[in-house]
Amino acid sequence: MGHGYKVIIIQFMKGRKYIGEYKIKDRLSPEYEIHQFGMKEFINFKNPDPEDYKLAAEALEFTKKAIKRGPRLLILDKMNLAAHFGILKTEDILKLLEDIPEETTLVLTGRRAPKDSSSPIFNPLYNNPPLSTTFNC
């Protein structure tokens, strides 16, 4: 952002406005954008609400448009978790990610990324270790 590059964060399953990465948006604009697609309460993974699926689908469509804008950094927050719990289909995500421009650095966050051995994107620890970093807190 300090060099004028665009950073876009798309938050799947998050709708809370009091979190730091959302609260800072106005100060870092126009290079920094954050878009939330979730309810105020975090998703109940044992019994997702139909609205959770609807919002995840909207986020996926929004992401397609954001990719076309060519951000330097695109963060898809909690996308791994959405895939793991079936809120998003892994194949839909993989298709989406085929369109990432080479100049865009992509970060997918969320625990429990699907272990799809055909995809180094979702299985980097097993197929391509240099692509992944795991943080333990």
Side-chain angles (χ1 to χ4, degrees):
M1 292 180 342
H3 293 282
Y5 296 126
K6 176 69 77 180
V7 173
I8 300 176
I9 300 173
I10 300 172
Q11 294 187 313
F12 292 76
M13 304 181 303
K14 280 187 177 179
R16 298 177 308 277
K17 308 295 186 210
Y18 59 84
I19 58 175
E21 63 264 31
Y22 188 84
K23 288 170 47 175
I24 193 94
K25 68 181 179 63
D26 293 334
R27 289 179 33 202
L28 298 177
S29 179
E31 289 83 9
Y32 176 92
E33 294 179 18
I34 185 165
H35 305 275
Q36 293 184 322
F37 294 88
M39 297 192 286
K40 288 183 183 178
E41 319 76 43
F42 199 66
I43 188 171
N44 176 351
F45 288 115
K46 292 182 182 177
N47 187 25
D49 189 283
E51 185 72 6
D52 293 316
Y53 292 95
K54 178 180 171 276
L55 290 168
E58 288 175 13
L60 203 62
E61 288 304 310
F62 185 86
T63 301
K64 290 175 186 177
K65 294 174 187 166
I67 289 169
K68 290 179 182 172
R69 293 174 48 212
R72 182 58 64 106
L73 175 62
L74 177 62
I75 301 172
L76 303 178
D77 190 21
K78 298 294 186 262
M79 183 180 258
N80 290 340
L81 218 63
H84 174 78
F85 285 105
I87 307 303
L88 292 173
K89 293 179 184 173
T90 302
E91 57 269 15
D92 291 340
I93 296 169
L94 292 172
K95 186 173 181 208
L96 169 94
L97 299 180
E98 290 173 2
D99 295 329
I100 301 293
E102 190 173 311
E103 65 276 2
T104 297
T105 298
L106 175 68
V107 177
L108 305 179
T109 76
R111 294 177 178 89
R112 302 179 181 158
K115 292 182 179 166
D116 178 352
S117 61
S118 67
S119 170
I121 291 171
F122 277 119
N123 200 0
L125 291 174
Y126 300 99
N127 293 338
N128 207 340
L131 295 178
S132 177
T133 301
T134 299
F135 295 96
N136 294 313
C137 301

